């Protein structure tokens, strides 16, 4: 016992140090192990979040591409087809051309005054139909792309807010809502409801621009380009800034519902209220985009590029030089034929492809889709 006490007396300091060091090392080891485990857990959690984010991004991209595909294969082709039919019906030139051909074969059937009036009407309506086709095709193509990008943005926002029921997004939940379906259906508003005011205003613009242009005047590519562009600018200024937006969208969702056949009493139904609200929200956002200076710039650039392509096609098939020109009367038949050419099927329509590949338009729609405030 004395030996043990003596040993403790001599070595207790070293023992305390050894025990302290050993205990500290053990405590540090436990602390390190806990810290290491926490880091591993955080890394696993981060990797899981990355996998979830990548999954959601991939699904968002797939859903967005599906909507884009539906738009390109269904919405726009149908809207263009109906637009072509309406313009052909409302601006039919066959009566004028038949009367002029009859007067040519039977000179006594038309007085000089009647013949001149027919030629003047043919001049105005030929330019009206071409300018209308150019403007409507361009604006409709851009409008459908606006729709697609706004719906894509709503998909992203709904997902980011956690409104989706699971990590695997349900496309039916996100895209087949009645309000969104009806929103895509507004692409037909231009052809179905706006023609009654659109055609007279375009004809008014054509009449104003063409009033000093005689049938015997020589028209080359530059002058024809300038004349059509003047008609478009005059038309766009009728009624004040952005008045033309009314040709694409009704005043509000309730007005649109009434136009498509829903009575006011139907709005009292509780299941219709969310649809009205969603459609109204989409229409308000769309109107803001269409009224923006950025979109107006894209429209202006698109019209110019399409018109340039149209002039190149027209004069490349002409037997008269673009600079030399031909009398306006001789050019009217070619001008009238440009309208149907502009309204061909989107998959075969080179003018729609010009709009789609325009760098300014691509940048605008990229910013529209990605500039999301949640």
């Amino acid at each position: 016992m004395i030996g043990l006490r003596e040993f403790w007396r001599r070595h207790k300091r070293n023992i305390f140090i050894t025990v302290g060091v050993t205990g500290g090392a053990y405590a540090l080891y436990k602390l390190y192990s806990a810290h290491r485990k926490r880091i591993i857990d955080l890394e696993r959690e981060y990797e899981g979040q990355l996998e979830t984010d990548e999954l959601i991004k991939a699904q968002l991209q797939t859903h967005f591409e599906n909507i884009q595909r539906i738009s390109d294969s269904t919405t726009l082709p149908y809207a263009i087809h109906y637009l072509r039919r309406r313009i052909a019906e409302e601006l039919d030139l066959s009566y004028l051309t038949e009367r002029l051909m009859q007067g040519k074969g039977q000179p006594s059937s038309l007085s000089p005054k009647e013949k001149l009036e027919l030629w003047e009407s043919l001049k105005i309506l030929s330019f009206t139909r071409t300018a209308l086709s150019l403007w409507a095709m361009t604006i409709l193509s851009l409008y459908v792309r606006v729709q697609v990008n706004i719906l894509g943005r709503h998909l992203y926002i709904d997902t980011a807010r956690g409104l989706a029921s699971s990590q695997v997004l349900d496309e039916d939940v996100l895209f087949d809502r009645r309000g969104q379906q009806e929103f895509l259906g507004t692409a037909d508003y231009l052809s179905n409801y706006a023609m009654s005011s659109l055609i007279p205003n375009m004809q008014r613009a054509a009449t104003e621009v063409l009033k000093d242009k005689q049938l015997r005047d020589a028209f080359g590519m530059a002058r024809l380009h300038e004349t059509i562009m003047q008609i478009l600018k005059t038309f766009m200024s009728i009624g004040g800034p952005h008045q033309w937006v009314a040709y694409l969208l009704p005043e509000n969702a309730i007005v649109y519902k009434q136009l498509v056949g829903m009575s006011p009493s139907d709005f009292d139904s509780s299941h219709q209220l969310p649809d009205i609200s969603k459609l109204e929200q989409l229409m308000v956002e769309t109107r803001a985009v269409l009224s923006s200076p950025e979109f107006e710039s894209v429209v202006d650039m698109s019209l110019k590029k399409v018109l340039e392509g149209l002039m190149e096609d027209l004069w490349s098939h002409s037997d008269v030089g673009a600079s030399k020109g031909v009398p306006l009367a001789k050019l009217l038949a070619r001008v009238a034929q440009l309208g149907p050419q502009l309204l061909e099927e989107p998959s075969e329509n080179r003018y729609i492809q010009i709009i789609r590949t325009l760098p300014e338009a691509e940048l605008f729609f990229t910013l529209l889709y990605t500039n999301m405030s949640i």
Side-chain angles (χ1 to χ4, degrees):
M1 180 65 69
I2 295 175
L4 182 62
R5 288 178 180 175
E6 183 64 20
F7 176 83
W8 171 257
R9 185 180 63 79
R10 292 180 178 181
H11 299 287
K12 65 179 179 179
R13 184 172 180 275
N14 293 333
I15 292 174
F16 282 136
I17 293 173
T18 300
V19 172
V21 169
T22 302
Y26 179 76
L28 287 173
Y29 171 76
K30 294 294 289 183
L31 181 63
Y32 171 78
S33 296
H35 180 66
R36 176 71 176 169
K37 184 177 183 301
R38 177 59 178 163
I39 290 176
I40 292 174
D41 291 341
L42 287 174
E43 288 177 347
R44 288 175 179 173
E45 182 180 350
Y46 178 69
E47 290 174 357
Q49 289 178 346
L50 285 179
E51 291 177 359
T52 300
D53 289 346
E54 290 301 320
L55 176 62
I56 291 177
K57 287 178 182 178
Q59 292 170 342
L60 286 172
Q61 183 65 28
T62 299
H63 291 317
F64 179 72
E65 290 175 354
N66 287 342
I67 288 298
Q68 181 72 62
R69 192 159 43 248
I70 291 171
S71 171
D72 290 344
S73 63
T74 305
T75 307
L76 184 58
Y78 180 81
I80 291 290
H81 171 77
Y82 194 65
L83 178 66
R84 180 172 61 249
R85 191 174 70 181
R86 284 300 308 276
I87 292 177
E89 291 173 353
E90 299 292 336
L91 293 170
D92 184 10
L93 307 180
S94 60
Y95 171 75
L96 295 174
T97 56
E98 288 171 3
R99 287 290 307 277
L100 286 170
M101 290 299 295
Q102 182 183 5
K104 185 177 181 180
Q106 303 174 3
S108 60
S109 62
L110 288 176
S111 68
K113 181 181 178 181
E114 290 174 329
K115 186 176 180 180
L116 180 60
E117 289 176 350
L118 287 173
W119 273 107
E120 286 295 319
S121 296
L122 184 62
K123 178 182 73 174
I124 298 299
L125 291 181
S126 295
F127 276 90
T128 298
R129 186 164 79 164
T130 294
L132 178 61
S133 299
L134 195 160
W135 184 86
M137 179 278 293
T138 300
I139 207 74
L140 193 57
S141 178
L142 293 171
Y143 175 72
V144 170
R145 289 189 68 184
V146 168
Q147 287 185 308
V148 170
N149 282 275
I150 287 179
L151 285 178
R153 184 169 64 182
H154 275 264
L155 165 63
Y156 184 94
I157 292 173
D158 287 350
T159 305
R161 285 176 171 168
L163 298 183
S165 58
S166 67
Q167 291 181 3
V168 180
L169 306 180
D170 186 348
E171 186 173 354
D172 291 336
V173 171
L174 290 167
F175 280 130
D176 286 346
R177 294 169 180 166
R178 186 186 300 272
Q180 292 173 340
Q181 289 178 318
E182 290 178 337
F183 176 57
L184 287 174
T186 61
D188 293 330
Y189 180 80
L190 176 68
S191 300
N192 282 329
Y193 308 107
M195 284 295 174
S196 59
S197 57
L198 175 58
I199 292 177
N201 283 336
M202 188 65 77
Q203 188 170 341
R204 171 183 164 189
T207 303
E208 175 66 24
V209 172
L210 295 168
K211 64 182 180 181
D212 296 326
K213 295 175 173 54
Q214 306 301 317
L215 293 166
R216 63 179 177 272
D217 291 348
F219 267 67
M221 183 169 71
R223 189 173 186 187
L224 182 59
H225 179 284
E226 180 186 3
T227 299
I228 296 177
M229 186 54 67
Q230 284 180 342
I231 293 173
L232 293 172
K233 289 181 178 180
T234 302
F235 165 75
M236 294 285 277
S237 66
I238 293 177
H242 307 118
Q243 181 63 32
W244 52 269
V245 175
Y247 300 129
L248 293 168
L249 280 172
E251 183 179 350
N252 53 55
I254 293 179
V255 170
Y256 180 72
K257 290 276 193 177
Q258 292 173 336
L259 286 172
V260 298
M262 181 177 290
S263 64
S265 61
D266 294 329
F267 304 142
D268 296 334
S269 176
S270 60
H271 75 277
Q272 294 289 350
L273 293 178
D275 300 333
I276 286 284
S277 176
K278 186 64 175 181
L279 178 59
E280 179 66 20
Q281 179 186 4
L282 292 169
M283 289 173 62
V284 167
E285 292 182 21
T286 303
R287 189 179 299 277
V289 172
L290 299 183
S291 302
S292 68
E294 294 81 6
F295 184 75
E296 187 174 3
S297 177
V298 170
V299 170
D300 184 61
M301 181 66 69
S302 299
L303 289 172
K304 289 178 180 177
K305 289 297 183 181
V306 171
L307 184 54
E308 287 175 6
L310 195 63
M311 293 298 97
E312 292 173 1
D313 291 345
L314 173 63
W315 293 102
S316 65
H317 295 90
S318 174
D319 55 356
V320 180
S323 59
K324 182 178 179 181
V326 296
L328 180 55
K330 187 177 180 180
L331 192 61
L332 289 182
R334 296 173 187 169
V335 172
Q337 292 168 2
L338 296 177
Q341 184 177 328
L342 285 159
L343 298 174
E344 291 179 349
E345 284 292 320
S347 60
E348 303 174 358
N349 193 321
R350 97 173 192 91
Y351 305 108
I352 289 180
Q353 296 305 316
I354 288 175
I355 298 171
R356 286 178 176 173
T357 57
L358 189 65
E360 291 83 358
E362 290 181 343
L363 176 60
F364 174 82
F365 288 112
T366 298
L367 293 175
L368 176 62
Y369 181 65
T370 59
N371 184 22
M372 294 171 259
S373 176
I374 303 177

